[in-house]
Structure formats: structure tokens, C-alpha cells
Amino acid sequence: SEQELIRQALTAVDSPFVLLYVFGPGGVGKTSLLRAAAHMAKQAEMTVLTLDGRNLEPSPAGFLNVLQQQLNCPSLEVIFPTLAEANGRFLLLVDTAELLTPLDGWLRDSFLPQLSANVLVILAGRNPPSLRWRTDPGWQQLMRVLPMQNLTQEESRALLMRRQVPEREHQAVLQFTHGHPLALSLVADVFAQQPDTEFRPENCLLYTSDAADEEDSVDLGGR
């Protein structure tokens, strides 16, 4: 459903929103959703710009410098004209937005209002939008808030089936992971390497590159 919401915004003649604000705990799938959005945008022949709060200075100049490099602009002053005058649409993805809290007011009141109509923005972070975002009459019309949550039991079972986790282990895995996407994926990785193993939560201390991307490690034995 989250991907379908983005697909509709990417393909609509007039997007129902200009900003999608995605939030949820670490490991719930925010970065994966952004990757899916980038893939869909490229299929729609849109230009994708990707920023990450971990890789830029949390200041207007730091944010614009990274954007300038991606657009190959000669100066910061021509970023907005470059976007406005370009043929085609842009998708701007900003991950790990919780690290950009010092820029919250600047993004809301200065940067985003200057973007042209051919730019769709997706912000993803651990925290929900601040009260200023949610009470601003203008942004109430232009922003869609998307909380990311654990998978339902049906979705979790579908994931385990797709990853060929033995059905006899599903209930134990679901009771332990509570549908947390990263935890489910980590358990599936174990079964991919050891198909005949029996799921034992106390033996699961797992780290993956995906967890590192989310700045998380998942200790399935200490939950």
C-alpha cells in the first residue's frame, strides 16, 4: 500500500501532494521504501536526487551543497532555477531526516516553498513531523504523512513463505518478531543458510549491512 501511494503520486498529472513525510522506528523499512520509490521514478523517466542526513552537514549550506553537486550546478544560487527550467520531473529523497532537526524550520518555511511544481519530495526519518508541520494550514494541504509500522500477521507469513522459511517455524518466528520487517528478514537469512535449523530466539544475535544502514543492530535474543 505504501508503494502504491508513491506510484500514484509519481504517475499522476497533478500529484495529490508535494511532500510525503515517512516516519517509523529503525528497521521498519523506510530506506527500502525510498529505494523502491527511486526505482519507480526512474521507470517513469524522472530524475532522482538522493540525500542522507548521515552524509551532510545539518545546515542550509550543507544541504544545498550536496544538492548542487547532484544537479551539477555552477553555484547554489541557480539550484532552484535549474530545477524549474528543466524538462521533466524530479524526485527528491531525503533519508535519515531525524538528523536534520536543526533544518526543520528552514526546510518547511524556506527550501520547500521555493521548489517548482515538477519536484516531488519524500522525507524519511524516525520521528513524526513536528507540531509546526502538522498545524500549518498550507502544509496540511500539501503534505501526506505516512507512518511505517510492523507487518501484519498475513504480510509476515507471506514474507516468510517467499523467503522459504519452513511453515512449521512461522508461528514461533511471528511471536518473537511481532512482524518487525528487519527482524523477519534476519531470521529468513538464517534459514537460507541453514534450512534444517530450528528457530531458537536465545541463539539469535544478528547483524547485517541493512541494519547498519538504519544505524541499528537487532538483538533477537534480548527482546
Side-chain angles (χ1 to χ4, degrees):
S1 61
E2 291 87 354
Q3 291 190 46
E4 183 58 29
L5 174 67
I6 294 173
R7 183 179 292 106
Q8 292 176 4
L10 295 176
T11 56
V13 176
D14 295 314
S15 176
F17 50 84
V18 298
L19 169 64
L20 180 63
Y21 203 116
V22 181
F23 73 94
V28 80
K30 301 184 298 295
T31 297
S32 296
L33 183 63
L34 293 189
R35 290 171 183 159
H39 177 70
M40 288 186 283
K42 291 174 182 176
Q43 288 184 319
E45 299 184 342
M46 296 176 64
T47 300
V48 180
L49 307 169
T50 304
L51 283 72
D52 193 311
R54 291 170 295 181
N55 301 325
L56 58 87
E57 177 190 344
S59 69
F63 190 98
L64 292 174
N65 279 328
V66 176
L67 194 56
Q68 176 193 358
Q69 294 171 14
Q70 294 203 22
L71 289 169
N72 197 27
C73 293
S75 67
L76 299 182
E77 289 72 22
V78 299
I79 287 177
F80 296 106
T82 296
L83 291 169
E85 296 167 7
N87 292 322
R89 299 175 65 201
F90 293 83
L91 175 63
L92 174 58
L93 303 173
V94 183
D95 202 358
T96 325
E98 69 272 9
L99 298 182
L100 302 179
T101 300
L103 294 180
D104 192 70
W106 175 77
L107 287 171
R108 182 185 60 251
D109 301 328
S110 180
F111 175 76
L112 291 172
Q114 293 185 71
L115 292 177
S116 47
N118 62 333
V119 183
L120 177 66
V121 181
I122 303 180
L123 290 175
R126 297 189 180 188
N127 306 319
S130 67
L131 184 63
R132 287 289 302 276
W133 282 104
R134 291 181 278 117
T135 57
D136 185 293
W139 282 114
Q140 286 179 2
Q141 300 296 321
L142 299 173
M143 178 178 67
R144 183 73 61 85
V145 178
L146 179 61
M148 295 282 289
Q149 301 174 345
N150 284 3
L151 301 179
T152 64
Q153 282 218 359
E154 292 75 14
E155 292 167 337
S156 299
R157 289 184 184 277
L159 186 152
L160 294 176
M161 290 291 291
R162 189 179 305 130
R163 294 292 304 275
Q164 298 183 335
V165 175
E167 190 170 357
R168 66 178 185 277
E169 304 290 350
H170 287 190
Q171 190 58 37
V173 172
L174 293 178
Q175 287 178 349
F176 185 68
T177 63
H178 303 287
H180 187 275
L182 181 56
L184 286 166
S185 295
L186 293 174
V187 171
D189 288 342
V190 171
F191 279 100
Q193 298 171 15
Q194 306 172 46
D196 297 327
T197 191
E198 179 181 350
F199 178 67
R200 295 180 180 276
E202 64 273 15
N203 295 331
C204 291
L205 178 61
L206 305 172
Y207 296 87
T208 70
S209 58
D210 285 341
D213 286 343
E214 288 275 359
E215 293 188 334
D216 280 312
S217 58
V218 177
D219 182 353
L220 297 182
R223 190 160 191 167

